[in-house]
Amino acid sequence: MTRPTTPDQPALRSWLPGFLALAAIWGSSFLFIKVGVAELHPLHLTLYRVATGAATLLVVLVLLRDRLPGGGRVWAHLVVVATFGVTIPFTLFGYGEQRVESMLAGIWNATTPLFVLPLAVLVFRTERLTARAAVGLGLGFLGVLVVLGVWAGVGGAHFTGQLMCFGAAACYGVAIPYQKRFVAGSAHSGLSLSTAQLLVATAQLAVVGPLVAGAPPAPASLSAPVVGSVLALGALGTGLAFVINLRNIRVVGASTAATVTYLVPIFAVLLGALVLGERLTWHQPVGALVVLLGVAVAQGLVGPRRTRAAEAPPADAAPPATGAVAGAAVR
């Protein structure tokens, strides 16, 4: 007998392709950040990246005849989401990658669900903690530690950079459940909300960037690899990826959507080793397998299946979204 599909238990085919695509896009972002900060201040890189992403979505918004959200309340929530989901973490990863390898930044990004789940359960009340989810997240975090090779120590010259990357992950831990609670349930399309979010972040960076780092350099003065990295970060990592992520949050919930960060290190480690020649040791692929096991457990793909009663959301959880994400939208 086939299990019925509920809003909290969608069919695998409805979210897995986007889940994997998002992991690949965000995993490659750490490579592009590493290339970008070789010539750009982290704030300038973030400004160019976010502005490119906003411009990409504005074009798609016009082509699909969609519009920006109306109402001051939605925009006020988007200020919070843009601050903790874009402006601060993107900049922190840039600062961090001036000090650590791109693959290590990708690994730290995988700690995001450790912040998302307790905040989603205790503060925003958009998720319910289950034993299966806790075990899955625990396995995932263990895999991250194995990939990192913590037994060799994590201090020294890289320590500050690692703290910056860890701080970026903590920001995502705030932004994801906040977005689920106050933004993702609105009637506006994911494209509309994503475009508005990036416009807010662009405005924030346009003010803060020059005050902290001075005027950004002209794009014509940058090398081709840096320009290409900015375009990739903007059109893909900050354009297409944000729409996919918002849809994932709507379909499977904040904590489950956040487990995509467990797959991101796999792509980040591989690209860092193959493209940048960063060191890849035996414990990194072994840890990646543990991470995948944790994701499978958290998703219910491994272990006992959940009953419908166990799937029921808390009574005060955010209602499902009524607006559909445009299928052709590119972030």
Side-chain angles (χ1 to χ4, degrees):
M1 191 172 174
T2 304
R3 279 189 306 167
T5 299
T6 70
D8 287 321
Q9 193 176 24
L12 190 65
R13 64 180 178 274
S14 70
W15 59 267
L16 187 59
F19 188 84
L20 295 176
L22 192 61
I25 292 171
W26 277 345
S28 64
S29 294
F30 298 97
L31 165 66
F32 296 130
I33 292 172
K34 190 70 173 179
V35 174
V37 294
E39 296 182 19
L40 287 169
H41 188 282
L43 277 166
H44 293 158
L45 175 62
T46 304
L47 172 60
Y48 281 145
R49 170 186 182 178
V50 173
T52 302
T56 301
L57 291 192
L58 281 173
V59 171
V60 177
L61 200 72
V62 173
L63 292 176
L64 295 180
R65 298 181 180 180
D66 202 347
R67 62 180 62 187
L68 293 172
R73 186 172 183 178
V74 172
W75 283 89
H77 286 311
L78 287 174
V79 169
V80 178
V81 176
T83 300
F84 289 97
V86 179
T87 303
I88 297 178
F90 283 14
T91 303
L92 283 176
F93 272 123
Y95 276 112
E97 289 202 42
Q98 288 181 325
R99 298 162 174 82
V100 303
E101 298 82 359
S102 66
M103 61 172 61
L104 188 55
I107 290 170
W108 278 115
N109 187 67
T111 63
T112 295
L114 302 179
F115 296 96
V116 170
L117 186 56
L119 286 173
V121 172
L122 300 175
V123 179
F124 299 106
R125 304 184 69 83
T126 59
E127 307 287 335
R128 171 174 290 173
L129 180 63
T130 65
R132 186 209 71 260
V135 171
L137 293 178
L139 280 173
F141 183 65
L142 176 62
V144 170
L145 296 179
V146 174
V147 174
L148 184 57
V150 292
W151 54 86
V154 293
H158 286 180
F159 185 68
T160 301
Q162 291 186 69
L163 288 181
M164 290 175 174
C165 295
F166 190 72
C171 288
Y172 291 143
V174 174
I176 291 173
Y178 186 96
Q179 182 169 307
K180 169 68 174 180
R181 179 68 173 177
F182 299 109
V183 179
S186 73
H188 302 288
S189 71
L191 174 62
S192 173
L193 293 170
S194 300
T195 306
Q197 179 181 340
L198 292 184
L199 287 172
V200 171
T202 300
Q204 292 173 335
L205 289 159
V207 173
V208 175
L211 293 176
V212 175
S221 66
L222 303 174
S223 67
V226 171
V227 172
S229 294
V230 169
L231 293 176
L233 285 169
L236 296 178
T238 317
L240 174 63
F242 273 29
V243 167
I244 296 175
N245 185 52
L246 183 58
R247 181 183 182 277
N248 288 348
I249 292 173
R250 283 176 158 172
V251 172
V252 295
S255 60
T256 299
T259 59
V260 71
T261 56
Y262 283 154
L263 298 183
V264 168
I266 298 173
F267 292 93
V269 166
L270 290 176
L271 289 172
L274 296 176
V275 180
L276 299 177
E278 296 175 344
R279 184 179 179 185
L280 181 65
T281 56
W282 67 267
H283 57 83
Q284 290 165 340
V286 170
L289 293 176
V290 179
V291 169
L292 287 174
L293 176 60
V295 172
V297 172
Q299 294 290 345
L301 304 177
V302 174
R305 292 185 172 185
R306 295 173 289 180
T307 64
R308 291 192 68 181
E311 289 291 338
D316 54 354
T322 56
V325 178
V330 178
R331 264 303 266 218

